[in-house]
Amino acid sequence: MERRLAAILAADIVGYSRLMGLDESGTLRAVKRCRTELLDPKIEQHRGRIVKLTGDGLLVEFSSIVNAVACADEIQREAARQNLAMLEDKRLEFRIGIHLGDVIVEEGDIFGDGVNVAARLETLAEPGGIAVSASVRDHVGSRLDLSFVDRGEHRLKNIKEPIRVYAISPRRALPLKVNKAALTEAREKHKQLVAVLPFTNMSGDAEQEYFSDGITEDIITDLSKVSNLYVVARNTAFTYKGKSVQVKQVAAELGVDFVLEGSVRKVGQRVRITGQLIDARNGGHLWADRFDRDLTDIFAIQDEITHAIVDQLKIKLLPEERRAIEAEPTCNVEAYTYYLRGRQLSHTWTRPYLLLARRMFATAVALDPEYARAYAGMADCESALRDWHAGEYTLQGILSLSAKALALDPNLAEAHASRGLALHQDGRDNEALVEFERALALEPDHYETNFHYGRFLFMQGKFEGAVTFFTRAAEIRPDDYLSPIHLMSACRSLGLLEERERWARIGIERAERALEQHPENSGPAHRGALALAHMGDAERAKEWAKHAQMIDPDDVVAQYNVACVYALLNECDAALDLLEALLPQSSCYQILWFKHDSDLDSVRDHPRFEKMLDAIEACSASIDFRVASE
C-alpha cells in the first residue's frame, strides 16, 4: 500500500441530469467536446493526472497544489467565457473542489480522506465556482492572482474533524456585460471598435492606483467624444483590471478590433506613460510610444495618446470633437491629482475616508477655484457626511456647492447627481428626480448617479427601480461593496431569494477584499456582517459586527447596520436596544431609512419599534410641511 501527499481536484457538471433529460445526445456531444478542447489540455498543461472519469465529473491528482488551483481557475474562466455565446439551457457549468491531503494509491486509483474531502468540497462550490480547504489556501497564499473568501467551518459527511472552507470564484466580479445592441449598431455605421484596458500602475505603490485609473478613464472619456469611434464602456473595460490577459481573447470577448493598453509610473513630479494600440485581428502593433515628462504635462500626454489613436485609425475629427478633446477639466495638475485621490476615498462611504476625501476636494478647489468637478465632489462628501454630522453640513451649503459646479459646467453629470442627492435629503423629491434623470442622460455609466438614484428609489419603497440602479452601480465599480448590500435588502423585499443570496455572496467577497486592504476602515466590516446575516451565517455575522464596533465604536451607520444584523438573526432585543440608542442621534433622512428597510422586518411589529415609528412619522411630517411651505 502506497501513501503520498497529493493535491486532489474533484469536479462535476451542474444540472447534468436536467441537461440529459432535455437533450441526451446533444449533452453527450457537448461534454465530449468540452473534455477534448478544455479539460484535457488544461490538466495536461498543469501536469495533472486524470484518475477517473464519470458521466458528469472527474477526479484529478496533481503533485503541486498551485498547479491544481491554477488549472481549476483557468477551466472555470474559459468555461464562463464559452458560455457567454450559449443559450442558458445549453451551458456546461462546473463545480470544483480541491484539497491537499494524504491519499492511498492502488493500481493507479487513489483513496482515503484526501479524496473524500475534495469530493465533499465540490458539492459546496457554487455553479462556476471553486471550493477549497484551508490547507489549499495556506499553501497557495499569494502565489496566484486569486482571492479566497472564508465560508466558515463545515462538517463533511464521513470526515471526523470540521473543515474550514474557502471559495474561489471566476465570477469574483459580475459577469462580463457587453452592449451587443450598441456594438451591432456601431458596426452597421462602420465605426472603428476600440477597447481601452486599465493602464497598469507601475509606481510600486498600490496607493497610486487612483492616478493610473484616472488617466485610463480620461482617455476613455476623450475617445468616446469621437463620433466615428465605438469605445467599450469604462465599467466593462475595468473588468480586466489587475488581470493578465491575451489581447485577442479580450477583443473576442468585447467584440472589438483594436485594444489600447499601457502603464503609468508616477514618481514625485515626473510621470512615465507607455501606450500601445494593437490590431487584435492580426496581433500587430499599430502604434506604441513612451512619454517621460513632468507631471504638469499630463493633460498634453492624454491628448497626444487620443490623437495618435484617431490618426492611426484614419478618423477625421470634427471641429467640435477636437475642441471637446482638448478642453481640460482644470489648468492645475496638482488640483487634478487631489481630485482623483478624493474621488477614490469618497467611494468608501465611511466617515474617516469621507472627511479625508472632502479635504482633498477642498484643496483642489483652493488650487483651482474654477474646477467644477471638485465642487461636485465636496457636495457629494458633505451629503454623505450628514449621516454622521447632520448639523455640521447644511443642505443649503451643499446646494450652493452643486450650484457652483453647474455654473462652471452645466453638463457635468456628477454635479447634477450631487444636487439630486442634496434635494432628496431636503425632501424635495420631485426636483431631485429631475437632477438624477439629467445626470443619467449626460453620463449613463456614472457611478455616483446610479448609486444615489438607487438609494433615492429604495427610500421611497420602489424596490424594482432600486435594483436596476444598484445593479448598474455594482457593475460600474467591481470594488463597490455598498451596492450589493443594498441589493440584498431590495431583493428580500421583492421576494427574490436567489438574487438576494447571489448579491450576499458578491457583497461579502468584496467587503472581505476591502477589509484586507484597509483594516482600519469599519465600513467593509459592518456591511460584510450584513451579507453574512443574509446568508444565515450567524456566528461569522456577529464576529464581523463586533469587529466593526471595535474599529469605530461611535459610528452611527455601523451601529444601525449591526442592529439590522441582529434583526436578521431574530435577536430582536439586541436590535431594538441599538435602534433606540441611535434614534436621538439620527437625522430625519436617516430615520426615514428605517421605514422601508426589510432588514428590520422581524422587529417591525414589536411595541418598542412601534414607539419609534411615531418619531419616524413626525420626521416625515416635518419634511412634508417644510416642503409645502416653500
Side-chain angles (χ1 to χ4, degrees):
M1 186 180 296
E2 179 189 347
R3 289 183 177 272
R4 63 179 176 231
L5 187 67
I8 306 100
L9 181 154
D12 82 343
I13 297 168
V14 179
Y16 181 73
S17 298
R18 176 183 59 82
L19 292 169
M20 289 289 284
L22 291 170
D23 181 2
E24 185 175 273
S25 58
T27 299
L28 289 172
R29 284 195 302 272
V31 170
K32 184 177 181 180
R33 184 168 61 251
C34 182
R35 285 176 176 165
T36 303
E37 297 178 1
L38 174 58
L39 299 177
D40 291 352
K42 290 295 182 187
I43 291 167
E44 183 180 355
Q45 177 187 340
H46 292 280
R47 300 182 181 180
R49 179 180 74 90
I50 296 176
V51 177
K52 65 178 70 171
L53 295 169
T54 59
D56 64 344
L58 70 166
L59 185 70
V60 188
E61 180 189 13
F62 295 82
S63 59
S64 161
I65 189 60
V66 174
N67 281 0
V69 174
C71 180
D73 183 59
E74 288 181 23
I75 286 171
Q76 295 290 44
R77 286 175 186 273
E78 180 61 19
R81 187 191 69 78
Q82 291 178 5
N83 280 336
L84 288 172
M86 303 284 289
L87 294 173
E88 202 158 326
D89 61 356
K90 301 288 186 184
R91 293 176 178 177
L92 292 183
E93 283 191 304
F94 296 93
R95 288 189 180 91
I96 297 179
I98 306 175
H99 179 56
L100 177 65
D102 189 57
V103 297
I104 300 169
V105 185
E106 185 176 325
E107 295 181 358
D109 206 348
I110 54 177
F111 307 91
D113 279 357
V115 176
N116 294 337
V117 170
R120 302 287 182 262
L121 288 169
E122 171 259 301
T123 65
L124 296 176
E126 299 294 334
I130 307 164
V132 303
S133 60
S135 61
V136 172
R137 191 248 193 197
D138 293 343
H139 278 79
V140 172
S142 59
R143 292 182 177 88
L144 298 172
D145 183 23
L146 299 171
S147 61
F148 293 84
V149 182
D150 190 349
R151 295 289 186 233
E153 286 194 340
H154 289 255
R155 289 201 168 273
L156 306 181
K157 185 178 178 181
N158 297 330
I159 304 298
K160 185 177 180 182
E161 298 296 331
I163 299 289
R164 174 71 71 172
V165 179
Y166 292 84
I168 311 169
S169 172
R171 297 181 292 183
R172 289 188 292 279
L174 296 174
L176 183 66
K177 288 287 183 84
V178 177
N179 190 336
K180 293 183 178 179
L183 196 61
T184 301
E185 183 182 354
R187 284 195 182 278
E188 289 173 351
K189 292 182 177 179
H190 305 291
K191 293 185 178 184
Q192 302 283 26
L193 313 175
V194 180
V196 182
L197 297 183
F199 277 37
T200 305
N201 169 32
M202 301 293 288
S203 302
D205 177 7
E207 292 298 314
Q208 294 290 335
E209 291 286 335
Y210 75 91
F211 190 73
S212 55
D213 287 354
I215 288 171
T216 307
E217 291 173 9
D218 284 346
I219 291 171
I220 290 173
T221 299
D222 283 347
L223 289 172
S224 298
K225 295 171 183 174
V226 181
S227 56
N228 279 325
L229 275 179
Y230 170 84
V231 185
V232 170
R234 181 258 185 221
N235 54 303
T236 303
F238 269 70
T239 304
Y240 298 96
K241 181 175 167 61
K243 297 176 183 174
S244 177
V245 297
Q246 298 292 327
V247 168
K248 282 191 175 182
Q249 180 181 333
V250 169
E253 290 175 353
L254 299 178
V256 299
D257 297 324
F258 305 98
V259 175
L260 175 68
E261 58 181 8
S263 64
V264 179
R265 184 188 299 275
K266 177 174 171 283
V267 180
Q269 294 304 306
R270 296 286 295 178
V271 64
R272 170 182 290 178
I273 298 178
T274 66
Q276 53 184 2
L277 181 66
I278 301 167
D279 186 335
R281 296 167 297 188
N282 55 30
H285 286 62
L286 295 179
W287 167 85
D289 208 341
R290 186 177 77 180
F291 305 88
D292 283 300
R293 306 273 185 85
D294 289 333
L295 191 58
T296 51
D297 287 336
I298 188 66
F299 300 126
I301 296 171
Q302 290 176 8
D303 284 351
E304 287 181 43
I305 292 173
T306 301
H307 282 291
I309 292 166
V310 168
D311 291 344
Q312 289 300 322
L313 298 181
K314 297 179 173 54
I315 293 172
K316 186 174 181 179
L317 290 175
L318 300 172
E320 59 270 24
E321 292 172 349
R322 189 177 297 277
R323 285 194 297 271
I325 289 170
E326 292 173 358
E328 296 176 356
T330 174
C331 57
N332 189 301
V333 172
E334 194 176 1
Y336 173 71
T337 58
Y338 274 107
Y339 165 77
L340 291 179
R341 184 66 168 133
R343 187 178 59 175
Q344 182 197 44
L345 292 165
S346 70
H347 288 156
T348 62
W349 204 273
T350 50
R351 178 176 54 182
Y353 282 91
L354 284 165
L355 288 167
L356 186 55
R358 186 193 175 280
R359 196 182 312 158
M360 297 289 176
F361 291 133
T363 304
V365 164
L367 290 165
D368 180 4
E370 304 296 304
Y371 197 177
R373 289 181 181 176
Y375 285 105
M378 285 179 68
D380 249 5
C381 286
E382 292 191 6
S383 289
L385 283 164
R386 283 176 55 79
D387 282 354
W388 295 271
H389 304 281
E392 195 170 330
Y393 300 103
T394 67
L395 289 169
Q396 193 54 49
I398 296 167
L399 289 167
S400 295
L401 286 169
S402 60
K404 176 67 173 176
L406 288 169
L408 291 166
D409 186 350
N411 294 319
L412 185 61
E414 53 200 284
H416 285 285
S418 64
R419 187 167 185 81
L421 178 59
L423 289 166
H424 170 44
Q425 291 187 350
D426 202 28
R428 296 154 66 180
D429 282 355
N430 289 336
E431 295 173 71
L433 181 61
V434 172
E435 295 295 336
F436 286 132
E437 293 289 354
R438 176 64 177 147
L440 284 171
L442 288 166
E443 196 174 337
D445 290 328
H446 183 242
Y447 169 75
E448 283 79 5
T449 301
N450 285 281
F451 180 71
H452 295 332
Y453 202 4
R455 283 172 60 90
F456 171 80
L457 294 168
F458 188 103
M459 289 187 68
Q460 295 178 328
K462 297 176 180 177
F463 298 115
E464 292 90 345
V467 165
T468 297
F469 291 102
F470 280 136
T471 299
R472 194 177 294 168
E475 291 169 351
I476 291 167
R477 282 191 42 241
D479 60 341
D480 170 24
Y481 58 85
L482 294 166
S483 297
I485 303 307
H486 293 317
L487 278 159
M488 295 183 316
S489 300
C491 289
R492 185 172 189 258
S493 297
L494 294 168
L496 303 174
L497 301 185
E498 288 186 10
E499 282 297 290
R500 170 199 180 193
E501 184 179 342
R502 184 172 78 91
W503 284 114
R505 290 197 304 270
I506 292 170
I508 185 59
E509 185 179 304
R510 292 184 178 188
E512 192 162 41
R513 199 176 310 139
L515 196 59
E516 285 177 2
Q517 293 171 347
H518 297 287
E520 76 288 354
N521 186 358
S522 67
H526 60 78
R527 290 175 175 112
L530 272 173
L532 291 164
H534 274 269
M535 294 167 70
D537 193 338
E539 185 179 339
R540 291 181 63 218
K542 286 190 274 191
E543 283 178 12
W544 278 59
K546 287 176 184 174
H547 186 55
Q549 291 172 309
M550 288 174 61
I551 294 172
D552 193 347
D554 301 321
D555 187 339
V556 293
V557 176
Q559 297 299 333
Y560 174 77
N561 282 336
V562 172
C564 289
V565 168
Y566 285 120
L568 286 163
L569 300 177
N570 289 311
E571 298 189 17
C572 297
D573 287 337
L576 290 164
D577 289 344
L578 281 168
L579 291 172
E580 286 172 344
L582 279 173
L583 202 60
Q585 308 173 54
S586 303
S587 67
C588 276
Y589 178 72
Q590 288 172 289
I591 290 171
L592 291 177
W593 188 268
F594 292 20
K595 198 169 183 178
H596 295 293
D597 193 346
S598 65
D599 289 354
L600 298 175
D601 281 355
S602 68
V603 300
R604 201 166 292 283
D605 296 329
H606 196 285
R608 291 169 65 186
F609 191 81
E610 288 176 350
K611 285 185 180 179
M612 285 186 263
L613 281 177
D614 294 338
I616 294 172
E617 293 304 326
C619 213
S620 297
S622 70
I623 289 178
D624 292 342
F625 176 79
R626 186 181 70 248
V627 173
S629 65
E630 291 171 353

